[in-house]
Amino acid sequence: MHKTVLLALGLLVAAPALSAGIEVDIELPRIDVADYRRPYVAVWLERPDNSVAANLAVWYDVKMRNGEGTKWLKDIRQWWRRAGRDMQVPVDGVTSATRHPGAHRLAFTAGDAPLGELAAGSYRLVVEASREHGGREVLTLPFDWPPREAVVREARGERELGKVAVHLKP
Amino acid sequence: MIKHRIALAALTATLAAPLAQAHETWLVPSSTVLSSNGYVTVDAAVSNQVFHFNYRPLSVGQSLSILAADGSAVQAENLVQGQLRSVFDVKLDAPGTYRIAVANAAVMASWKENGQPKRMRGTQAEIAEKVPAGATDLVLRENATRIETFVTVGSPTELKPVGEGLEMVPVTHPNDLYAGEEVSFAFHANGQVAGQLKVAIVEGGTRYRDQLDKVELLPDEQGRIRHTFARPGLYYLNAVMTGKSPSNPDMERRMAYTATLEVLPQ
């Protein structure tokens, strides 16, 4: 039931001829452990040569005193190597607080930060989640830009991530 | 006389220690990659098994040097020498790569003076001064060791060669190593490409497996080795170069280099 509503919502959003862009659905599974901490999550676009085309979102503990929350950014391992270690956080419109388990939707418009103008070509959307006292998981969704028509690509994580989908809007 | 014997025994021990091949010497940092300024703590030991404190602490006092990315020296904090390991903290308060090293260089001399055996350890100049003209059976041995590890805050920065002793000159940055990717390191002896040396790599945790699984590599003409680490983990890299000293054809020279490298998962 819940899923149907989500899907219907998705159609509503996708239907009107909005400007080109990308929407990303990220489901954080509810994990039943005593010492649950919300995961650090990074979402980015990379090219076939692993270079980063856009840093879309980084969720980390932004509220800790003295920027202590940045201490574990390196545990979003792949993102740290590809982009994180060369960035100064916080970044407006990219970094934000960690999120609760459940479904989250992020929307990015072509031409606007942080997506910007994407040159035509092949890309991968990468979603990486890393949880304190827990595990880490990376999901990768390849796509070509620009899309000729509205396209949805999906992947499902096994532990730290639930369903992840990318909606491409021409 | 007894005093003399003890002194001699102690001297022999100090002479023997750097020559001993049976032990691994290493520095293990608590982290090699940091995303913000902070502390790492470092264990320093001499052991029979890689990264297992089971023999002696590594004596780090005067020979420890910690260099920040800008080349400035950092003072170790809370240095303690225990029975099985030495420990110190390093405060990293700037981005970039820190080089943590324990380096020693000395010449050992043994000779006979009026039929009596004599020994001493020091710089070449000190030895030239102390060894009398009438000395016989003079044996000179030059020994240089460097034990290192690296820690990076943020992005890895270039590591400038030291130019002294045997050293690893990164082609692949030592804090940018990933399982399954080929890496390359060059070796220099006193600033020159080192050709004639043997490099060995051992993955930590030998006490949990039956075989040492040591990888032995010989460098190419540029002094370079290439290697692909199969698994993430902490690795012990050791290079040894022996031969005649270029500064004195009558002197044997042994140079050794050790690095602790962390290989990250992809």
Side-chain angles (χ1 to χ4, degrees):
Chain A
M1 174 62 195
H2 191 55
K3 262 187 194 150
T4 321
V5 173
L6 259 184
L7 203 66
L9 266 174
L11 286 173
L12 280 179
V13 176
L18 296 171
S19 52
I22 292 174
E23 288 176 358
V24 182
D25 289 333
I26 299 172
E27 184 187 11
L28 298 180
R30 202 164 292 281
I31 296 170
D32 191 17
V33 289
D35 53 355
Y36 180 79
R37 300 279 189 283
R38 296 193 297 269
Y40 275 31
V41 175
V43 184
W44 73 98
L45 293 183
E46 58 185 32
R47 303 181 186 92
D49 67 355
N50 297 343
S51 65
V52 173
N55 260 301
L56 298 180
V58 181
W59 302 343
Y60 73 100
D61 196 337
V62 290
K63 278 200 194 132
M64 282 184 81
R65 266 190 300 145
N66 305 324
E68 279 278 305
T70 61
K71 192 169 168 181
W72 296 283
L73 283 173
K74 65 177 173 58
D75 294 336
I76 319 175
R77 278 195 311 241
Q78 193 162 328
W79 169 79
W80 180 252
R81 181 187 192 191
R82 302 266 194 261
R85 68 190 189 183
D86 296 314
M87 275 169 66
Q88 282 286 342
V89 292
V91 179
D92 252 11
V94 176
T95 55
S96 60
T98 54
R99 302 199 181 187
H100 289 288
H104 303 276
R105 170 164 286 199
L106 305 172
F108 306 98
T109 308
D112 292 351
L115 179 59
E117 287 298 350
L118 278 187
S122 296
Y123 294 91
R124 294 189 292 259
L125 175 92
V126 190
V127 178
E128 181 173 12
S130 178
R131 183 168 56 89
E132 189 181 357
H133 310 303
R136 165 187 169 266
E137 187 159 27
V138 183
L139 288 178
T140 302
L141 296 162
F143 66 88
D144 288 319
W145 187 266
R148 264 184 255 135
E149 54 193 355
V151 180
V152 183
R153 301 220 182 284
E154 286 183 8
R156 181 167 282 280
E158 287 173 3
R159 291 171 182 277
E160 303 296 334
L161 287 166
K163 193 185 89 172
V164 168
V166 57
H167 305 255
L168 306 170
K169 296 191 297 175
Chain B
M1 184 59 193
I2 287 170
K3 224 182 215 173
H4 179 70
R5 244 188 229 151
I6 290 168
L8 197 65
L11 196 59
T12 311
T14 51
L15 287 176
L19 293 174
Q21 305 291 298
H23 299 118
E24 278 100 30
T25 53
W26 37 267
L27 296 168
V28 170
S30 52
S31 296
T32 60
V33 172
L34 299 181
S35 35
S36 55
N37 295 348
Y39 276 97
V40 291
T41 189
V42 181
D43 291 320
V46 179
S47 72
N48 305 307
Q49 272 188 325
V50 170
F51 310 138
H52 183 199
F53 324 107
N54 62 359
Y55 181 57
R56 291 266 187 273
L58 182 68
S59 172
V60 297
Q62 292 299 310
S63 42
L64 174 65
S65 103
I66 305 166
L67 294 181
D70 66 359
S72 61
V74 177
Q75 208 59 39
E77 297 177 28
N78 305 318
L79 173 62
V80 174
Q81 183 169 324
Q83 290 295 332
L84 296 177
R85 64 173 169 174
S86 297
V87 181
F88 55 90
D89 294 336
V90 183
K91 190 182 185 192
L92 314 172
D93 52 15
T97 300
Y98 286 70
R99 181 198 290 269
I100 303 170
V102 173
N104 284 295
V107 175
M108 264 83 62
S110 63
W111 68 93
K112 279 187 180 163
E113 208 174 314
N114 305 323
Q116 294 292 313
K118 301 272 185 187
R119 288 165 178 270
M120 79 167 284
R121 180 173 200 263
T123 63
Q124 274 209 63
E126 284 166 359
I127 283 168
E129 199 176 291
K130 289 275 169 60
V131 179
T136 57
D137 301 326
L138 178 64
V139 177
L140 293 171
R141 262 200 294 255
E142 190 182 2
N143 205 320
T145 59
R146 168 170 283 273
I147 303 159
E148 286 188 328
T149 193
F150 307 90
V151 180
T152 294
V153 180
S155 255
T157 50
E158 193 194 342
L159 286 155
K160 296 214 165 51
V162 178
E164 276 176 19
L166 183 62
E167 65 177 314
M168 177 183 82
V169 179
V171 179
T172 308
H173 193 287
N175 290 140
D176 206 11
L177 309 175
Y178 294 86
E181 289 185 7
E182 189 181 72
V183 305
S184 178
F185 304 122
F187 290 86
H188 285 186
N190 292 329
Q192 305 291 315
V193 166
Q196 299 296 310
L197 77 161
K198 283 183 191 159
V199 181
I201 296 173
V202 178
E203 188 182 358
T206 52
R207 64 177 153 148
Y208 307 119
R209 59 180 190 261
D210 294 337
Q211 301 301 320
L212 200 53
D213 295 338
K214 185 197 278 189
V215 177
E216 289 180 297
L217 302 163
L218 294 174
D220 62 15
E221 311 83 66
Q222 282 107 51
R224 289 188 182 187
I225 57 156
R226 291 167 188 285
H227 182 61
T228 302
F229 295 98
R231 283 183 300 276
L234 209 54
Y235 286 82
Y236 176 85
L237 178 149
N238 176 243
V240 178
M241 190 176 166
T242 53
K244 298 283 179 201
S245 169
S247 64
N248 180 349
D250 293 331
M251 184 155 68
E252 290 291 330
R253 181 176 73 170
R254 180 177 185 274
M255 300 172 110
Y257 175 88
T258 299
T260 300
L261 303 170
E262 187 174 37
V263 176
L264 302 168
Q266 288 265 21

